[in-house]
């Protein structure tokens, strides 16, 4: 074979079917997702100050540099410009408090990229969402720092550093409403983002706007956030109250914690969720059920991170059980 022929073959990209001709690319999708997260990220900087910006930059820089070094070490094409490592770092930053010391976001980003992503083979091969793996490792390693939140104004005690779900779990619903003043003020704070929490948990409004744009562009399946958030709302309404069945507050539970961020930006990760639409609905309902199970019966007031990671582990089984029948074949 001539050198010219070898060069031409080297320029071809061979991949498995189906092949879809479109103008989308990994880089375009990743940078679009990053752009839709930018308003919520900037709002967290406005809310929590320069410390939040520094933590965010450490997460992003550590993720990008780790990916660059691993790909250079493995003699692979460097793909840090595609935005995927940037997105992993940004998502990890949105999942941690702004008060953590500098070495924690650095360590979490290295784990997310080096362990969760590149030990699996890199982008497209990872089983678990890398940012959530980084958060889970940080939570297991530094539980106090990961559950210490910036203080927020309170109507009764001056300030509180607990999240709404933390107050709900430890002190009850009436105490939580009293902290905000009344129920409508609580809903307003949750929707706009004037409450304690991780950097990406605060503003439901900005996250929903960003997620809606991704749905409009066809980058995520609307069924995933709708079914996951809806499942949490129905189950917490039915079982989350102390006055018996159907006495819980579904609005509070749907807008609290990392549910909005997780449902729109991490449960929809195209690499770690099932392929089919029915499979993605099963994934979302399962993640919603696990989130409620952890919130109501577990030790942590929040459960989105572990719920999505557990459902990531059964994605291959969901794909096997819910794969469409071949044309003309019987199940």
């Amino acid at each position: 074979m001539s050198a010219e022929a070898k060069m031409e073959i080297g320029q071809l990209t061979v991949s498995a079917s189906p092949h879809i001709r479109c103008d989308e690319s990994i880089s375009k999708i990743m940078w679009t997702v990053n752009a839709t997260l930018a308003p919520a990220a900037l709002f967290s900087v406005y809310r929590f100050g320069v410390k939040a910006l520094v933590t965010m930059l450490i997460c992003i820089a550590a993720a990008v540099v780790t990916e660059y070094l691993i790909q250079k070490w493995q003699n692979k094409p460097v793909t840090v410009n595609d935005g995927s490592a940037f997105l992993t770092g940004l998502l990890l930053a949105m999942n941690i408090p702004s008060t953590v010391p500098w070495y924690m976001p650095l360590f979490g980003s290295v784990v997310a990229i080096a362990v969760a992503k590149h030990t699996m083979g890199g982008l497209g091969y990872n089983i678990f969402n890398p940012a959530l793996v980084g958060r889970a490792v940080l939570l297991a390693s530094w539980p106090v720092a990961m559950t210490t939140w910036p203080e927020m104004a309170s109507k009764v005690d001056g300030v509180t550093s607990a999240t709404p779900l933390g107050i709900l779990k430890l002190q009850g619903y009436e105490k939580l409403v009293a902290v905000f003043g009344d129920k409508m003020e609580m809903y307003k704070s949750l929707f706009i983002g004037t409450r304690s929490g991780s950097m990406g948990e605060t503003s439901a409004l900005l996250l929903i706007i960003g997620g809606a744009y991704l749905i409009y562009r066809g980058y995520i399946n609307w069924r995933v956030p709708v079914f996951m958030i809806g499942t949490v709302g129905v189950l917490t309404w039915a079982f989350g109250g102390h006055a018996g069945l159907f006495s819980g507050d579904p609005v509070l539970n749907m807008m609290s914690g990392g549910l909005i961020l997780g449902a729109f930006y991490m449960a929809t990760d195209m690499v770690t969720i099932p392929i089919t639409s029915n499979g993605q609905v099963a994934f979302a309902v399962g993640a919603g059920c696990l989130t409620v199970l952890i919130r109501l019966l577990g030790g942590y007031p929040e459960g989105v991170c572990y719920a999505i990671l557990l459902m990531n582990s059964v994605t291959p089984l969901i794909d096997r059980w819910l794969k469409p029948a071949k044309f003309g074949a019987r199940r």
Side-chain angles (χ1 to χ4, degrees):
M1 182 180 295
S2 67
E4 183 178 357
K6 289 181 180 178
M7 184 177 298
E8 290 179 354
I9 291 175
Q11 294 174 345
L12 297 177
T13 300
V14 179
S15 62
S17 61
H19 302 119
I20 302 174
R21 184 183 295 276
C22 65
D23 62 352
E24 301 292 354
S25 65
I26 292 174
S27 179
K28 183 178 179 180
I29 293 173
M30 292 297 170
W31 285 115
T32 301
V33 176
N34 282 313
T36 61
L37 267 174
L42 293 174
F43 181 78
S44 69
V45 174
Y46 168 75
R47 280 281 297 149
F48 302 121
V50 177
K51 177 66 176 174
L53 178 62
V54 172
T55 302
M56 208 172 289
L57 292 176
I58 291 174
C59 279
I60 294 171
V64 171
V65 171
T66 301
E67 177 141 298
Y68 174 84
L69 293 176
I70 290 176
Q71 289 177 332
K72 291 293 286 184
W73 174 56
Q74 294 177 335
N75 291 321
K76 291 182 176 180
V78 176
T79 60
V80 293
N81 292 329
D82 66 8
S84 62
F86 187 102
L87 180 59
T88 297
L90 180 58
L91 282 173
L92 176 62
M94 302 286 272
N95 275 278
I96 60 179
S98 60
T99 53
V100 295
W102 64 270
Y103 54 83
M104 285 179 55
L106 176 66
F107 181 74
S109 290
V110 172
V111 170
I113 296 295
V115 178
K117 185 176 180 179
H118 281 282
T119 58
M120 302 290 177
L123 182 64
Y125 297 96
N126 50 293
I127 299 173
F128 300 100
N129 184 288
L132 289 180
V133 171
R135 183 188 189 278
V137 170
L138 291 178
L139 186 59
S141 304
W142 293 282
V144 176
M146 285 291 289
T147 52
T148 300
W149 316 100
E151 295 177 341
M152 69 173 183
S154 168
K155 299 292 184 181
V156 292
D157 295 326
V159 294
T160 176
S161 61
T163 64
L165 288 177
I167 299 173
L168 177 67
K169 193 173 190 66
L170 299 176
Q171 303 180 61
Y173 184 74
E174 289 73 20
K175 173 66 177 180
L176 175 61
V177 174
V179 167
F180 286 95
D182 57 53
K183 188 181 290 187
M184 289 308 299
E185 188 63 29
M186 177 178 71
Y187 293 155
K188 178 183 174 183
S189 295
L190 293 172
F191 188 64
I192 296 175
T194 53
R195 38 107 178 205
S196 289
S198 297
M199 288 189 280
E201 292 181 4
T202 52
S203 179
L205 171 63
L206 295 176
L207 292 172
I208 291 172
I209 292 174
Y213 182 73
L214 295 179
I215 293 173
Y216 166 73
R217 292 297 303 268
Y219 291 166
I220 64 175
N221 184 346
W222 65 268
R223 296 173 182 82
V224 176
V226 168
F227 276 90
M228 184 174 175
I229 296 171
T231 299
V232 171
V234 171
L235 292 181
T236 52
W237 174 50
F239 304 110
H242 295 293
L245 286 175
F246 302 106
S247 63
D249 188 336
V251 178
L252 163 66
N253 281 281
M254 288 191 292
M255 291 198 294
S256 297
L259 182 61
I260 302 293
L261 177 65
F264 279 100
Y265 285 96
M266 287 175 284
T268 55
D269 179 1
M270 60 183 67
V271 176
T272 58
I273 61 171
I275 298 172
T276 64
S277 183
N278 288 338
Q280 292 179 4
V281 170
F283 180 98
V285 172
C289 291
L290 288 172
T291 298
V292 174
L293 190 66
I294 295 170
R295 284 185 179 184
L296 298 186
L297 301 178
Y300 289 109
E302 172 61 302
V304 173
C305 171
Y306 291 115
I308 294 176
L309 288 175
L310 287 170
M311 290 307 298
N312 287 159
S313 69
V314 298
T315 289
L317 294 178
I318 295 175
D319 277 334
R320 182 181 302 175
W321 291 336
L322 296 180
K323 65 182 178 182
K326 295 179 180 177
F327 182 73
R330 292 182 178 180
R331 286 185 177 276

